[in-house]
Structures are given as C-alpha cells and as structure tokens.
Amino acid sequence: MLHSSVCDPQLHFSRRTLLGAGAGGAMLSAIANRLAWADQIAKTDAGEQKNVILLWMDGGPSQLETFDPHVGSKYGGDVGAIPTTVKGLEIADTLPQTAEKMHLGTLIRSMTSKEGDHQRATYNVKTGWRLDPTLVHPSIGAVLCHEFPQSLDIPRHVSIIPGQWPSKGGYLGPNFDAFIVGDPNSPVPDLKARVDADRMDRRLNGLDFLESQFRRGRLKDLDHNRTLHQSSTAAALRMMSSEQIDAFDVSNESATTLASFGDTPFGRGCLAASRLIEAGVRCVEVNLSGWDTHVNNHSLQSSACGTLDPALASLLGRLEEREMLRNTLVVCGGEFGRTPVINPAGGRDHWPNGFSMFLAGCGIRRGSVYGATAADPVVKSEDLKSNPLVNLDQPVTIGDLHATILKCLGVAYERELETPVGRPLVRIEGDPIDELMV
C-alpha cells in the first residue's frame, strides 16, 4: 500500500523504550518493563464492567469515501453510495459489510476540532484535550482503568499494531500506558524464560537480594511512585504463567472466523480485541494506517476501507452475538477528515472542519445519525477562520465526544482530579450529547 510522505514527522523514542537497564529488565527480558507500565493491581469494580474498543484510523480517513458520501456533488469524487440497515442512511460503497451493521450504533457526521496536524490532532482525539506543553493528559483507556482499578494477570489497557502515538497514561502515570503488541498472528514475545526453571529461580532470588539493597535508605513508596522494579517483576511473572495470555492468541479460532475478519493484521487485531475484552481487559486500541491520502485519494481510501470493512462488521457482529455490546463501546474514527476539494495530485488534504465517527454499544443509541455536513461547503480558509462551524449541522466537539464516551463507560467525567504537581483539573471540558445515548 502506498503512503504519502508529505507529513510523516520524525519518530521519537518513548520513555518506555529507554527503560531496560534496571535489574528487572536485565533478569526477565523486556517484558518486565513493559508490564510495569501497563499493569495496575487494586480492588475490583463492584458494578458491571464496561469496556471500550478503539478502532483508530491512523492518518485521517476521508468522510466522503467512508461514512458521509456526497455522490454527484462537485466534491464527491469517484465514490458511490449504498443503503444501510438504517432507513434513509447511505454510506460509501467502499463499506458494504459495515452497511449491514449500521443499525447497531450511531453515526456522527459533524465532528469538529481545532487541530489539523497529525500529532496534535491524534493527541486531541485520544485524550479529549489539545496539546499542552505543561501537562500530558491520559487517553480514554487510561482514564477508564484509573476509574475502575482491578486485578488481572494480563494488562487491562492494550494497543495492537500501534502507530507513532499509542495511548498513554499521561499524568495518571506510566502504569496506565497501553501495553503494546503487534500482529496477533505472532505470539506475545518474551513470555517464556530463556533458562531452565531452577536457574530462573536462582536469578529471581538474586534479584530479590538486589532489590532489598537498592531500597535501603530510599523512600518507602519508592516502587509505587518511582522505579516500579518489584511491581514490574511481579507483573511479568504473573503474565508468563497465566492462562489469560491465551486471549491474545487468535490461532485457535476457526478458519471461517479468521476469514470473516479479513486476512490482515488489523482484522486479526479486531478479533483479538474481542477475545481480550472477554478475558477482562478494559480497553483495546487497534490501529489501521493508510488513510493519509494527499495523493491518489480514491484508490488509497478504497484500499484502507477494504481492510476496515470486514473487520469492523465482524467485530460488531461477534460482540452482538455474544451480548457484549451491552457493556462494550466500539469507537471507530481518526484524527480528522479530508478536504472536500481534491488537490492536483488527486488527493485530499487535512480537514478538521467536519468529519465522521461511528460509535456502537454500551448505551449508545442504535440506528441513529447525528449531525450533517454541507453538500456545498465553504472551503476558503479565510472564511473558515471567521466561522469554522459554517459547514456543520449539530457540530460535535472533541470535548463533547469524550464526555459522551466517558458517561457511557460509567466514568465520572465531571470529576476534578489533581495532577502530580497539585494542579486541579477536570477530566474533560465538554458536555455529553444526550441524543447519542439511550
């Protein structure tokens, strides 16, 4: 698949990448450090567990080639429109299987944000906040896991095939970062000890001695708030010996099931997401790249839709069949949309002034459409600066979207928290949209 290099920013090493020199990393391999940031042990939520699956369309999917076609207009492009299982609703003909599942959720066609840069817009949509140099905000999965702490042998916040900016714990702490895995076609790495059991026991005993020496004269809460040496080791050992790790493995699914999701890493990621939610994971993010179409828009968007369509439709069908949509929220979208105007290279550029999101499950209204974009939109930047909402009916801000999601998940979205520096901060600046919920 072709990718535009026009706006690929320089890759950065994450903080987690640099954590490997401690005793836990040396003795147990890289998984100990990864698990240290991903795991959280505490009391179990007494109420019904609510979960979220984020299907992240990395690069900015075109609303016109997916959920909001304007066939026949001067901006419509080459896409066609097909009916869906929602009366009167049509979506692009690039998503025929998804069209058969639209009755399970709500389509928002009037998303708007103030960010048109990939990194800033991704941060905005994943956290609900605009980028702030003084503070890193937590993603939806981190907020959910923080609100409802519980014990699990495997991480409760998972990112499958992540892009450049996977979900983070932000000021809630790196222990709420998403645990990163690749294509579920391959096993989770580093789960088997590289030495025999006796030698492993001797290494762990030696590690216990080193830890005791390391802690001498240091803070009592050192492991909880600073180094995570001991919790990283404990998390790794639990996961290495747990049957829950089987949730990552899609190979024991039938050939029919695997084929229905599509023979792609993303399809397998969506299948793994449903298995992980069943195992008790609270949030799974599955990344699909290929949407940044500054050139050859129709061809590249159609190709990406060919990967998304069977995976999304099969995920919704599986969750519905297993009665998991009742408490699992599916969110499908990206950081922004694409311009109505097709550029000279046959592409569409960045467009935060009206794009689509699809939500299903966990209290979201079924068979509904909210908002609309103008068939003949204002496209001049000077006109949009004075009235950025001119092309939208019932505009939905990123803050309102997050408030709605958090309310569906049972999170106290209006609650004020305290950041590590003592700064009081509400979870989100936005209001839930009642029309999106039952």
Side-chain angles (χ1 to χ4, degrees):
M1 184 180 296
L2 296 175
H3 296 277
S4 170
S5 60
V6 173
C7 50
D8 284 344
Q10 184 177 0
L11 295 176
H12 298 282
F13 286 104
S14 68
R15 180 180 178 184
R16 183 186 306 161
T17 306
L18 303 177
L19 296 170
M27 291 292 184
L28 281 177
S29 81
I31 195 170
N33 288 305
R34 298 212 308 261
L35 284 171
W37 304 132
D39 190 74
Q40 174 75 7
I41 303 173
K43 62 181 180 180
T44 302
D45 178 24
E48 182 182 40
Q49 175 170 307
K50 293 181 173 62
N51 321 290
V52 60
I53 297 175
L54 173 62
L55 304 184
W56 184 251
M57 307 295 103
D58 189 7
S62 168
Q63 68 282 1
L64 293 159
E65 272 75 29
T66 55
F67 292 112
D68 192 15
H70 286 271
V71 178
S73 74
K74 63 179 179 179
Y75 301 118
D78 297 327
V79 75
I82 55 174
T84 71
T85 49
V86 177
K87 185 178 180 180
L89 172 63
E90 293 185 333
I91 62 174
D93 59 4
T94 55
L95 299 170
Q97 295 185 53
T98 301
E100 298 299 316
K101 302 294 183 183
M102 293 301 294
H103 62 284
L104 296 177
T106 286
L107 175 60
I108 303 174
R109 281 177 162 169
S110 53
M111 291 300 309
T112 179
S113 85
K114 297 179 180 180
E115 300 291 357
D117 168 78
H118 285 294
Q119 184 175 8
R120 294 182 63 90
T122 297
Y123 183 96
N124 189 199
V125 177
K126 286 191 176 183
T127 68
W129 295 83
R130 299 181 74 184
L131 199 63
D132 183 342
T134 68
L135 187 68
V136 178
H137 300 88
S139 63
I140 294 171
V143 170
L144 181 62
C145 291
H146 179 267
E147 182 82 354
F148 303 111
Q150 68 185 123
S151 178
L152 198 66
D153 289 343
I154 58 178
R156 299 182 303 130
H157 186 196
V158 176
S159 180
I160 300 176
I161 329 167
Q164 298 177 46
W165 307 292
S167 295
K168 296 288 187 178
Y171 64 76
L172 296 178
N175 51 320
F176 290 102
D177 284 0
F179 177 74
I180 294 175
V181 294
D183 185 346
N185 197 39
S186 301
V188 178
D190 303 323
L191 287 180
K192 293 183 179 180
R194 299 180 183 180
V195 296
D196 60 55
D198 289 341
R199 188 173 181 183
M200 186 68 174
D201 287 340
R202 292 196 301 272
R203 287 184 171 187
L204 292 175
N205 289 334
L207 178 59
D208 288 340
F209 174 77
L210 289 175
E211 289 285 3
S212 66
Q213 297 301 305
F214 179 78
R215 294 176 64 86
R216 291 178 62 183
R218 289 180 168 86
L219 298 174
K220 291 182 179 180
D221 63 349
L222 179 68
D223 188 68
H224 179 70
N225 290 331
R226 299 290 193 277
T227 66
L228 296 176
H229 284 178
Q230 289 181 313
S231 60
S232 69
T233 302
L237 292 173
R238 281 200 315 275
M239 187 169 179
M240 290 169 72
S241 61
S242 175
E243 293 182 357
Q244 293 175 356
I245 195 65
D246 291 342
F248 287 94
D249 183 10
V250 300
S251 64
N252 57 3
E253 295 283 351
S254 69
T256 301
T257 298
L258 288 165
S260 69
F261 278 80
D263 186 19
T264 64
F266 179 77
R268 290 186 287 271
C270 289
L271 178 55
S274 70
R275 292 170 57 86
L276 288 165
I277 295 297
E278 282 187 290
V281 173
R282 301 303 290 259
C283 176
V284 184
E285 170 186 283
V286 190
N287 186 80
L288 177 61
S289 60
W291 301 96
D292 194 18
T293 53
H294 293 279
V295 299
N296 300 327
N297 176 79
H298 181 73
S299 174
L300 294 176
Q301 291 282 330
S302 297
S303 178
C305 285
T307 300
L308 170 64
D309 188 39
L312 173 57
S314 295
L315 175 62
L316 293 171
R318 182 182 175 101
L319 295 176
E320 173 72 355
E321 179 184 347
R322 300 187 176 207
E323 299 184 350
M324 293 170 61
L325 272 181
R326 182 186 73 255
N327 63 347
T328 301
L329 177 65
V330 177
V331 181
C332 179
E335 61 262 46
F336 41 58
R338 315 302 298 186
T339 54
V341 175
I342 298 176
N343 65 33
R348 297 187 191 270
D349 301 314
H350 302 178
W351 183 257
N353 303 106
F355 56 103
S356 300
M357 286 273 180
F358 178 73
L359 285 73
C362 204
I364 290 294
R365 189 177 302 278
R366 293 191 170 204
S368 177
V369 183
Y370 187 88
T373 54
D376 188 16
V378 173
V379 296
K380 292 184 178 180
S381 58
E382 56 270 24
D383 295 331
L384 289 171
K385 285 181 180 179
S386 61
N387 186 4
L389 305 181
V390 64
N391 297 316
L392 300 177
D393 178 41
Q394 297 178 301
V396 178
T397 67
I398 302 300
D400 292 342
L401 174 69
H402 271 254
T404 303
I405 289 173
L406 294 179
K407 185 174 182 178
C408 287
L409 295 173
V411 175
Y413 64 91
E414 72 278 30
R415 179 183 171 193
E416 189 176 87
L417 300 178
E418 190 174 280
T419 69
V421 297
R423 173 184 173 185
L425 188 70
V426 294
R427 285 199 188 276
I428 197 68
E429 290 183 333
D431 297 306
I433 299 176
D434 293 335
E435 292 89 339
L436 300 179
M437 299 175 287
V438 293

